[in-house]
């Protein structure tokens, strides 16, 4: 029903923020800083946060289906029920997303990174363009992600319901859901020739897929205490890049900045 080309999905996603991959015009080698959204920029999972607008019984019913149906199906059903049964429109959904708190220190480090001319920031997330766009706009930082926002495209229908579509349809990657392989996104970016080095910041297993595409000169930043950190003992040897772990944005800034400015690495 919603067959849509990958290029159109990508263009919808990026156009929501008024820019695409060609936005940067700075000459010379660039470093890309790719950042996940849920539990990396914001403290909560945005899909679970929006689902809290439903009555508890309905929310639990839909959450129980996540292992079988996946997160994209989960949020689609949440949004359908919110609109169809509870008359919750996109404005109310957006208000809930904008209320999410940032990971402590993350706004500071993002703003600091964005001021460095040799860096370009992007978001790689399995959330969606409506949620991410609402939150970035609330904090007036949408302009900082000049490298783009790679996520599931979403739009507000005439009825006021939010519709989320898959970023892609893939069956090759077991680490990622069928609607988005973060590894394929990172492979395209690293092979584009636009970036000399890549820093990737994330917390979950599909971020592991992205980090496995990084090279020896790149850096993976794994959030401690979350899903991916617990799997690093088993999977850390699969990464060619250097790895640092962080608890919040303050620690990330403290650990990452020396790697960016050190002439021996950069």
């Amino acid at each position: 029903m919603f067959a849509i080309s990958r290029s159109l999905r990508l263009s919808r996603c990026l156009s929501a923020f008024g820019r695409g991959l060609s936005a940067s015009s700075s000459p010379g080698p660039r470093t890309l800083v790719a950042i996940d959204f849920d539990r990396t920029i914001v403290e909560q999972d945005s899909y679970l946060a929006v689902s809290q607008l439903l009555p508890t019984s309905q929310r639990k019913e839909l959450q129980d289906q996540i292992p079988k149906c996946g997160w994209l199906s989960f949020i689609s059903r949440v949004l359908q029920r919110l609109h169809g049964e509870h008359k919750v429109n996109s404005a109310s959904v957006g208000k809930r997303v904008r209320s999410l708190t940032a990971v402590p220190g993350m706004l500071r480090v993002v703003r600091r990174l964005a001021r460095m001319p040799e860096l370009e920031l992007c978001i790689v997330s399995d959330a969606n363009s409506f949620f991410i766009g609402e939150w970035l706009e609330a904090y007036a930082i949408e302009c900082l992600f000049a490298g783009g926002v790679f996520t599931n495209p979403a739009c507000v229908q005439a009825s006021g319901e939010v519709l989320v579509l898959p970023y892609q349809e893939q069956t090759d990657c077991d680490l990622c859901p069928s609607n988005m392989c973060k590894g394929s996104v990172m492979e395209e970016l690293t092979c584009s020739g636009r970036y000399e080095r890549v820093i990737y910041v994330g917390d979950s297993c599909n971020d592991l897929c992205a980090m496995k595409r990084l090279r020896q000169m790149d850096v993976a930043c794994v959030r401690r205490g979350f899903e991916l950190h617990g799997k690093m003992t088993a999977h850390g040897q699969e990464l060619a890049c250097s790895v640092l772990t962080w608890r919040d944005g303050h620690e990330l800034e403290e650990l990452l900045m020396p790697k960016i400015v050190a002439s021996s690495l950069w």
Side-chain angles (χ1 to χ4, degrees):
M1 179 178 179
F2 298 116
I4 183 169
S5 71
R6 182 184 179 285
S7 61
L8 180 54
R9 284 196 300 270
L10 180 57
S11 106
R12 282 188 182 181
C13 171
L14 296 180
S15 66
F17 307 102
R19 62 189 170 276
L21 287 177
S22 61
S24 173
S25 58
S26 299
R30 307 279 290 167
T31 294
L32 177 68
V33 182
I35 311 176
D36 184 26
F37 183 69
D38 289 332
R39 296 193 171 116
T40 298
I41 293 178
V42 296
E43 193 68 83
Q44 291 180 262
D45 183 293
S46 60
Y47 283 10
L48 292 179
V50 168
S51 75
Q52 290 172 353
L53 296 173
L54 286 172
T56 301
S57 60
Q58 288 189 345
R59 183 174 72 250
K60 289 183 176 180
E61 174 194 342
L62 294 177
Q63 286 179 356
D64 289 343
Q65 298 173 19
I66 292 174
K68 179 180 179 181
C69 300
W71 285 96
L72 188 68
S73 177
F74 167 73
I75 195 59
S76 296
R77 294 175 183 180
V78 166
L79 294 169
Q80 287 168 3
R81 287 201 177 185
L82 283 173
H83 183 265
E85 298 178 25
H86 303 285
K87 310 306 178 186
V88 176
N89 61 16
S90 61
S92 297
V93 172
K95 181 179 180 180
R96 179 70 182 99
V97 173
R98 291 193 299 273
S99 73
L100 299 179
T101 58
V103 170
M106 188 56 72
L107 287 170
R108 171 185 163 87
V109 71
V110 164
R111 289 176 175 133
R112 184 175 177 186
L113 292 170
R115 288 196 299 268
M116 303 179 74
E118 70 273 23
L119 303 184
E120 189 166 273
L121 275 61
C122 76
I123 289 175
V124 182
S125 169
D126 193 27
N128 64 75
S129 61
F130 179 77
F131 288 14
I132 295 173
E134 287 287 314
W135 196 88
L136 296 182
E137 184 177 354
Y139 286 88
I141 60 171
E142 65 270 28
C143 61
L144 302 186
F145 295 92
V149 179
F150 299 86
T151 189
N152 301 298
C155 62
V156 179
Q157 302 184 93
S159 62
E161 181 180 350
V162 179
L163 175 67
V164 182
L165 299 173
Y167 174 82
Q168 64 183 171
E169 297 173 3
Q170 67 90 21
T171 57
D172 297 329
C173 176
D174 294 331
L175 288 174
C176 297
S178 61
N179 59 281
M180 185 180 196
C181 173
K182 290 188 176 183
S184 68
V185 174
M186 293 311 301
E187 186 169 2
E188 288 187 23
L189 291 170
T190 55
C191 293
S192 69
R194 299 183 64 245
Y195 304 108
E196 187 176 59
R197 295 179 177 88
V198 175
I199 299 167
Y200 190 97
V201 187
D203 71 283
S204 64
C205 281
N206 55 3
D207 294 312
L208 174 62
C209 182
M211 292 174 181
K212 289 174 70 173
R213 311 299 175 100
L214 302 184
R215 305 150 299 179
Q216 186 175 3
M217 73 286 286
D218 301 327
V219 182
C221 305
V222 179
R223 192 176 186 196
R224 289 198 309 280
F226 289 79
E227 180 184 32
L228 178 55
H229 185 248
K231 296 183 179 295
M232 290 305 292
T233 300
H235 296 281
Q237 71 277 8
E238 300 172 11
L239 304 184
C241 61
S242 61
V243 178
L244 64 82
T245 64
W246 57 283
R247 174 70 67 178
D248 58 23
H250 302 295
E251 186 177 15
L252 178 64
E253 180 179 12
E254 178 183 351
L255 296 173
L256 188 56
M257 286 304 171
K259 287 185 172 292
I260 293 175
V261 300
S263 58
S264 60
L265 180 60
W266 306 96

